[in-house]
Amino acid sequence: MTTDIRPVSRSRHANFRWQPYSDYRFTADTVVAPLAAAEISQAALIFPLAFIEQEGRWALVAVLGLQVNQNLFVDESGAWLGRYVPAKFRAHPFSIDSQVAGEPTFCVDEASRLVTEGGDGQAFFDETGKMSPNLEQVWSFLSEIARGEGVLAEACMVLANAGVIEPWPITLQSEQGLQQVVGLHRINELALNGLDDSAYNTLRRRSVLGVAYAQLLSIANFTNLGGLAQARAQAEAAARARAEVKPMIALPEDNTIDWDWSKIGR
């Protein structure tokens, strides 16, 4: 999916408007969704959770699929199939895209069909040049998410430094044979239980044990992911079968039939 992420600014977006999203097709290619600290208790009940590391920073993510560009939690119509939607998706087409001097940058995807210059929809800015109340709400929501992601990133780093996070070996059986899923990490339960009292109490004082146990408990949700994958495969197979079925008799373009029925069967 094409994107064009731009920082929101009065100089650029004074006349811009946006429409609320009506489905989740925009998430169809998203394999993992970063989580904020406040989401863990709900996300751990629905998704397998995993740690990922990028440029020395750790994050806890919801695993939405195990193949490239595959989100199993959204169907063809754009309906969300789980009981919880990651907060990151609920502000579309807006996001916090990067950190500048430690401050979050408020961004919008101008490639989204929800965003237009002029026309109908909710205004980015009011007549005085101030951010509109609706956009202020989006900004406040995303700022809270960013703070929660920062809190969770610190907790993940504490766990990583304690040596209790390990690569997660996952093998998939596909039409191309066995495939390794790379980049995901999990809690090493043996390493966690093997910590001495001092190291374990350090994790307890830093309030990160809940993150570790949430990830361990969420592993059971691979059953949910497997069920969604099986349903997706069956739906795709049925669609292919329908596409391959050819009519036994080609009807005229006007759909009329002018046969001499007296000769049929003779």
Side-chain angles (χ1 to χ4, degrees), residues 2-265:
T2 302
T3 60
D4 184 12
I5 308 298
R6 302 295 183 99
V8 173
S9 67
R10 184 173 58 187
S11 60
R12 183 177 180 87
H13 299 107
N15 298 318
F16 274 63
R17 293 178 175 272
W18 91 93
Q19 302 280 354
Y21 62 88
S22 58
D23 61 60
Y24 290 93
R25 285 189 182 93
F26 64 90
T27 72
D29 297 339
T30 306
V31 180
V32 297
L35 297 173
E39 295 184 272
I40 295 177
S41 59
Q42 296 183 75
L45 299 176
I46 310 297
F47 315 106
L49 306 186
F51 300 97
I52 60 173
E53 187 269 334
Q54 293 179 324
E55 299 180 353
R57 287 178 58 86
W58 286 90
L60 186 68
V61 300
V63 179
L64 308 177
L66 290 173
Q67 297 186 32
V68 176
N69 299 330
Q70 179 198 66
N71 178 0
L72 293 169
F73 284 88
V74 63
D75 67 14
E76 264 186 3
S77 69
W80 191 262
L81 302 178
R83 298 192 305 275
Y84 181 76
V85 179
K88 198 83 171 179
F89 298 149
R90 286 184 260 138
H92 183 73
F94 299 95
S95 64
I96 294 210
D97 187 61
S98 60
Q99 301 288 326
V100 179
E103 295 297 324
T105 302
F106 190 27
C107 296
V108 64
D109 180 6
E110 291 186 2
S112 168
R113 295 181 179 179
L114 302 174
V115 177
T116 59
E117 187 168 6
D120 298 328
Q122 302 180 39
F124 280 45
F125 295 89
D126 63 21
E127 296 81 0
T128 68
K130 293 182 179 180
M131 197 178 290
S132 69
N134 287 333
L135 196 60
E136 281 277 9
Q137 288 183 348
V138 176
W139 165 237
S140 177
F141 176 68
L142 284 172
S143 296
E144 190 64 30
I145 292 173
R147 285 190 287 271
E149 288 180 352
V151 170
L152 196 49
E154 291 182 11
C156 294
M157 183 63 74
V158 171
L159 291 168
N161 289 340
V164 297
I165 295 179
E166 65 175 0
W168 197 345
I170 299 175
T171 303
L172 296 179
Q173 177 67 55
S174 69
E175 295 178 356
Q176 292 74 37
L178 296 179
Q179 293 182 333
Q180 297 292 324
V181 177
V182 298
L184 300 182
H185 295 72
R186 65 182 177 185
I187 291 292
N188 182 327
E189 191 170 6
L190 289 177
L192 180 63
N193 292 335
L195 293 174
D196 60 33
D197 289 346
S198 175
Y200 188 86
N201 285 332
T202 296
L203 298 185
R204 180 177 57 79
R205 287 193 300 271
R206 298 292 297 273
S207 300
V208 301
L209 288 174
V211 176
Y213 288 121
Q215 192 282 317
L216 287 170
L217 290 171
S218 76
I219 293 174
N221 292 327
F222 268 114
T223 301
N224 299 338
L225 205 62
L228 291 172
Q230 185 175 14
R232 173 77 59 89
Q234 290 173 345
E236 291 174 350
R240 287 195 300 270
R242 287 194 298 270
E244 292 171 358
V245 173
K246 297 180 179 179
M248 296 179 62
I249 301 174
L251 299 180
E253 291 185 1
D254 63 0
N255 291 331
T256 61
I257 301 177
D258 186 16
W259 292 339
D260 184 351
W261 288 94
S262 64
K263 296 180 180 179
I264 299 294

